Structure formats: C-alpha cells, structure tokens
Amino acid sequence: MNAPFVLRDASAGAVAAVPRSGPASVSLIVPVHNEQDGVDAFLETTRRHVDPLAQDGIAFEFIFVNDGSTDGTLLRLLDAQARDPRIRIVDLSRNFGKEAALTAGLDACTADAAIPIDVDLQDPPSVIPLLVERWRQGYEVVLAKRTDRSSDTYFKHASASWFYRLHNMIASSPVPEDVGDFRLIDRAVIDALAQLPERRRFMKGLFAWVGFRSATVEYTREQRCAGASRFSPWRLWNLALEGITSFSTVPLEIWSYVGAGVSLLSFLYGIVIVTKTLILGIDVPGYTSLLASVLFLGGIQILGIGILGQYLGRVYSEIKQRPIYIVRRTYEAG
Ligand code: UDP
Ligand code: MG
C-alpha cells in the first residue's frame, strides 16, 4: 500500500521553492490604536503601490484591527470602507496590545497570504510589490529587513540590538535581527500560527518558531508620519521580557549553576578559614567579609526568586486560558 509519490513536507528546508502563478489574494493586516490622523494617508500611499499589482491578478484587501482606539479612528475607518469595499474592520472591545491585534487580524484573514503592516507608514508600502514577487517565486515567508534605522532614536536602536543578541544567544529559535512584524506570510504559515495556543504572543518569536522557507527584502525605515510611537521604554522592556521568557528557560535554569558555583566557592573558603584558625588560632571576627558575603548572597537569592516569579506569572496567565482578544464587531463592506 505504498503511495507512488511522497510529497515532501513544506518545512523540510531542502526542497527548492515552487513558484506560484495565477490569481491570488493578499490581506494587509493593519493594527490601529488611536491613529485617526494616519488612516487616510496610509490608505492613499498603500493603494498607489498595491493597485498596479491587480494587472498580475493579485487582489488586495485591508483588514484593519481597531485596538481599542479612544479617538475617531473607527469613524475614519468606516468612512474609508464606504468608499473602498476592500476594507474590512475588526473592532476589538478594548486595547489588547499590538501582538493581540495582529493575531485578531490573522484570524480574520482568509486570503492566500497576509502582510502585517503598521499604519504610520514606517513600514513602507513600496516594499509590498517586492514581498509579493518573492512569494510568487515560492517562498512562504518574505521578511522585510531594515537596513537603516537612523529614523529611530539611538536608545531604541541600541536597546533593540542588545535584545536581539541576548535573545538569540539563549532562545531555541533565533529571531532575525532588524526584522519587525512587517513581512509576507503564506496561507500555510497563517494556519500554523493559528495552531499555537499561547495567550501571550510575542509575534516575532512565534513567526520564527513555525519555520518555513524564507527570503529577505531590505528597506530603509521611515520617520513616523503622524502622532507619536505607542511604545515607551517600559513597554519595550516588557516586550523584551515576553520574548525571552516565551522562548527560553535559560534564565530559570541558570540558578542551579549559580547556586552550585557559589556553594563550591563557599566550601573552599570555609576550608581556608578552618585551616587558618587551626594553625594560627582564633582570629579577630571578619566583619567586612561577613557583611559582604551576606549581602551578596541575599541579592542573588532575591534575583533568583524574582526570575521564578516572572515565569510563574506567565504560567498563571496561560493557565487561565482566556481568549487572546475579544471582538466587539466586525464590519464588512456592503
Ligand atoms: N498599535 C496597536 N495597539 C497598541 C499599540 C500600537 O494596534 O496597543 C499599532 C499602532 O497603531 C501602529 C502599530 O501598532 O499601527 C505600531 O505602533 P507604533 O508606531 O506606536 O510602534 P513603533 O513604530 O514605535 O514600534
Ligand atoms: Mg511606528
């Protein structure tokens, strides 16, 4: 009962990319949070770059995920939808964060491929045709890599670079540096992502974890077109913690080695003191060394417990099994 042909698994890297042809549909997934001044400019610029692709049979749609905006964003979107039936709107019940909003958009997507893109035009729509071209060549993931981040602040640039370095040193699936959520993913990848059950979603890590054949396109990161970044240093720090704790248990496990090392050193030091006392007699009590070692050990213990807490908190929020986001209403054109 052997099948005459064995189809190789798409993720088994050795298979050459199989070009795609014929008509196809692509969804642009756009999370928006208080972006009323950005929506129209985004649509106008993006249309200019995607409309010509219709000649090649590529039909685009826009899935806007309104992530709990408190300004006029939703009204702007509805207004735009009345003029362009390719726009779909998923209105979330509150602000769930960009990662959850992206998940909502991907869940709503039924197209052959999806491109998550920021509404502030920092992910230039001019790159979209390049992403689509590589996808047509057969790649399932086409990454958009920033070559020049001079539009970001020095702090953001430097902290991002350190984060990637640390993350990739200890995580099981390395995240490519200078690649954001802006990328094209094939239907197969969207389906794979939908199977990942975790509630706390570090999208860049999940994208890397699912694998698939990938190609890279390079671009220059632009200045934000309207409003200000929603990501404060504190939010970025939390995103980094999320990334590391989601994809590595090294910070948890390292404590057994730190403990073993400190115990060994203490034991050796103990032998030295006892021997010294036996040979030279009772010494004057060493107040300084005593206090230093007590403080040092106390600090290390609290740090270790704190890291346990970071993981425990995440286990707790996963185990509650709450949905990743709640949709208030979906608006389809017509
Ligand atoms: N965003 C969102 N929910 C949030 C924060 C941001 O949907 O809680 C959206 C935002 O509207 C934008 C994208 O995520 O389309 C990127 O946000 P931002 O430009 O503030 O991030 P940065 O470019 O500074 O990384
Ligand atoms: Mg931005």
Side-chain angles (χ1 to χ4, degrees):
M1 290 281 279
N2 278 345
F5 299 108
V6 181
L7 284 176
R8 297 280 299 275
D9 176 15
S11 58
V15 204
V18 186
R20 267 171 268 264
S21 55
S25 54
V26 177
S27 298
L28 297 173
I29 315 280
V30 202
V32 282
H33 174 63
N34 292 349
E35 303 276 8
Q36 60 179 1
D37 300 328
V39 171
D40 290 332
F42 168 80
L43 278 169
E44 197 196 308
T45 316
T46 310
R47 281 199 197 103
R48 232 183 15 245
H49 289 103
V50 302
D51 287 352
L53 292 176
Q55 296 163 358
D56 306 331
I58 316 267
F60 279 87
E61 66 167 359
F62 297 86
I63 302 182
F64 283 94
V65 184
N66 180 29
D67 186 17
S69 300
T70 50
D71 64 356
T73 303
L74 182 61
L75 293 176
R76 287 290 169 94
L77 289 174
L78 287 168
D79 195 42
Q81 187 182 51
R83 281 174 278 126
D84 187 344
R86 294 175 300 174
I87 296 178
R88 297 169 61 198
I89 306 166
V90 179
D91 187 26
L92 300 187
S93 61
R94 64 169 170 86
N95 179 247
F96 282 89
K98 188 185 171 187
E99 315 284 311
L102 269 183
T103 306
L106 289 174
D107 288 348
C109 162
T110 52
D112 301 320
I115 303 179
I117 182 168
D118 286 0
V119 77
D120 58 10
L121 293 174
Q122 281 195 296
D123 302 332
S126 53
V127 178
I128 296 174
L130 303 174
L131 296 178
V132 171
E133 190 191 320
R134 303 290 270 164
W135 174 55
R136 303 284 272 177
Q137 289 169 1
Y139 294 96
E140 289 136 341
V141 177
V142 189
L143 305 170
K145 188 178 164 85
R146 322 177 254 251
T147 49
D148 170 16
R149 294 188 58 150
S150 53
S151 65
D152 279 338
T153 61
Y154 171 77
F155 170 77
K156 192 158 180 189
H157 186 147
S159 58
S161 153
W162 277 102
F163 165 69
Y164 285 119
R165 234 177 282 175
L166 177 68
H167 185 275
N168 292 344
M169 212 157 63
I170 62 179
S172 46
S173 44
V175 171
E177 188 161 349
D178 284 338
V179 171
D181 297 321
F182 185 36
R183 62 184 68 201
L184 182 147
I185 53 178
D186 184 70
R187 183 79 244 163
V189 184
I190 305 173
D191 291 342
L193 285 171
Q195 282 176 30
L196 300 182
E198 48 247 85
R199 324 274 113 190
R200 305 183 63 142
R201 299 179 89 76
F202 179 64
M203 289 310 281
K204 281 188 253 247
L206 299 180
F207 283 140
W209 187 86
V210 293
F212 291 100
R213 263 193 306 267
S214 66
T216 307
V217 166
E218 301 197 328
Y219 76 99
T220 309
R221 191 143 168 92
E222 304 288 339
Q223 222 46 276
R224 209 177 201 288
C225 77
S229 171
R230 309 273 176 273
F231 287 86
S232 62
W234 177 244
R235 246 181 123 164
L236 284 174
W237 160 250
N238 278 308
L239 193 62
L241 267 187
E242 200 63 62
I244 287 177
T245 50
S246 297
F247 288 91
S248 171
T249 49
V250 168
L252 266 184
E253 285 147 15
I254 203 169
W255 295 100
S256 27
Y257 299 100
V258 173
V262 171
S263 312
L264 185 70
L265 288 178
S266 318
F267 183 69
L268 294 179
Y269 187 53
I271 292 179
V272 172
I273 300 178
V274 170
T275 321
K276 240 171 113 179
T277 313
L278 286 178
I279 297 172
L280 303 174
I282 292 173
D283 203 355
V284 183
Y287 173 75
T288 320
S289 59
L290 196 67
L291 197 66
S293 55
V294 165
L295 289 180
F296 175 69
L297 285 180
I300 287 220
Q301 279 167 3
I302 294 173
L303 192 63
I305 293 173
I307 289 182
L308 271 181
Q310 291 284 349
Y311 279 89
L312 189 63
R314 283 167 172 81
V315 170
Y316 180 60
S317 68
E318 288 292 340
I319 216 156
K320 280 187 288 193
Q321 297 270 316
R322 288 189 184 146
I324 301 168
Y325 57 87
I326 305 271
V327 177
R328 176 184 290 119
R329 192 174 158 189
T330 307
Y331 299 85
E332 309 279 350

